[in-house]
Amino acid sequence: MGAFPNITSRSLIPKLMGGGVPYTASPVTYWRQTIRASDLSSTAATVTAVGTVGAIADGNFVLDFHDREGTLVDQITVPVGGGDPPDEAGLAEDIADAVTVAAGGGGDLEGYVSATSSDAENFTVAFVAGQTLTVSVNSEPTPSITIEHLAEIVLSELDPNRAFPRNVYREVDPYVRVTEAWAAGTVVTVDDNGVASSDVLVQAPLDALGAQETASASTLGGTAATETDWDPVVLLELGDDASPTAGVFELLVPLSPILTPEPLP
């Protein structure tokens, strides 16, 4: 019997090709999904802006909200003075409250914002799926507010015809291949949708071409596992621009089909 290329011992085939001795073999293949910067406008994507208030001073803090074309959608002004608000946490809360007002009752952000919140000196603005806005600081009394944008794309919603197959062995060392560089500092984490501590890749860089692999023993990507219903989601750290115009990468996850019935969790 000739050699079998690219195989891994996983599933039991009782009598392979008519032989009388059990042989364990299952071919390794790759599940692939391509993610483009333009996918951030898909309804499979949700973008969140997270702001941190580093310091406050009397005056007006002004934030701009731009759409993907760079058009100003709204401008939020939050004043500070006379001890109101009293500290950074109070300003973060006032900013979240001002965005909430602008997102309701016919405000300019209505239809864009799905939720706002604040926690200590941080405020968060979550946008409606597919309605990506970039938040930036227009002016402030002191250079104190920093804003980062995060995006989550559920890949089974991005392309339902290419959903990750069920009941397979997810092999070790998934990776991404960057074919068009993203903005400097952009990184991606890959998780199981809705499952805590399920990362198989952590902060793989996307600003350089080629294969980028960050799986290790500290991630689930360093261990093979049976996946009965894995729903991969990519988490992008986009920095100060939620609407990049360039960037393409391919996610590759090695897997082996389960060729014979085995007990599954």
Side-chain angles (χ1 to χ4, degrees):
M1 184 169 59
F4 281 77
N6 194 27
I7 62 174
T8 184
S9 295
R10 289 297 185 192
S11 298
L12 178 65
I13 305 177
K15 293 185 178 181
L16 183 65
M17 297 179 64
V21 179
Y23 191 96
T24 57
S26 180
V28 174
T29 186
Y30 280 84
W31 175 81
R32 303 165 181 259
Q33 178 67 284
T34 299
I35 296 92
R36 300 173 174 82
S38 59
D39 292 330
L40 292 169
S41 62
S42 162
T43 56
T46 55
V47 172
T48 301
V50 180
T52 301
V53 180
I56 66 170
D58 288 355
N60 291 328
F61 288 75
V62 182
L63 301 181
D64 290 343
F65 292 73
H66 288 90
D67 62 17
R68 290 187 64 87
E69 287 70 43
T71 302
L72 182 66
V73 175
D74 200 3
Q75 188 175 82
I76 300 296
T77 300
V78 180
V80 174
D84 183 24
D87 52 23
E88 290 81 6
L91 178 55
E93 182 177 3
D94 284 358
I95 292 173
D97 289 344
V99 174
T100 299
V101 171
D108 289 338
L109 294 182
E110 186 174 13
Y112 288 98
V113 175
S114 62
T116 61
S117 63
S118 65
D119 180 19
E121 71 279 7
N122 301 315
F123 62 90
T124 300
V125 180
F127 296 102
V128 175
Q131 298 296 328
T132 302
L133 294 181
T134 294
V135 186
S136 60
V137 179
N138 179 288
S139 63
E140 55 189 352
T142 58
S144 59
I145 295 179
T146 58
I147 298 175
E148 296 288 333
H149 297 85
L150 309 174
E152 175 182 293
I153 306 177
V154 181
L155 299 187
S156 61
E157 297 178 10
L158 180 64
D159 188 350
N161 293 324
R162 294 188 57 80
F164 191 82
R166 302 182 63 181
N167 298 330
V168 297
Y169 292 105
R170 176 180 50 76
E171 302 288 349
V172 298
D173 296 337
Y175 66 99
V176 296
R177 179 184 291 122
V178 182
T179 57
E180 181 177 277
W182 296 61
T186 305
V187 298
V188 62
T189 294
V190 179
D191 285 342
D192 189 1
N193 188 27
V195 180
S197 303
S198 61
D199 48 273
V200 299
L201 282 174
V202 177
Q203 294 188 321
L206 298 178
D207 53 5
L209 297 178
Q212 305 292 339
E213 184 176 6
T214 60
S216 68
S218 63
T219 74
L220 296 180
T223 304
T226 299
E227 299 289 5
T228 59
D229 194 15
W230 197 53
D231 189 14
V233 55
V234 298
L235 308 173
L236 297 165
E237 297 178 32
L238 299 170
D240 59 6
D241 184 5
S243 303
T245 57
V248 180
F249 72 91
E250 185 180 30
L251 172 62
L252 297 97
V253 181
L255 60 86
S256 297
I258 297 175
L259 300 182
T260 60
E262 293 186 7
L264 298 175

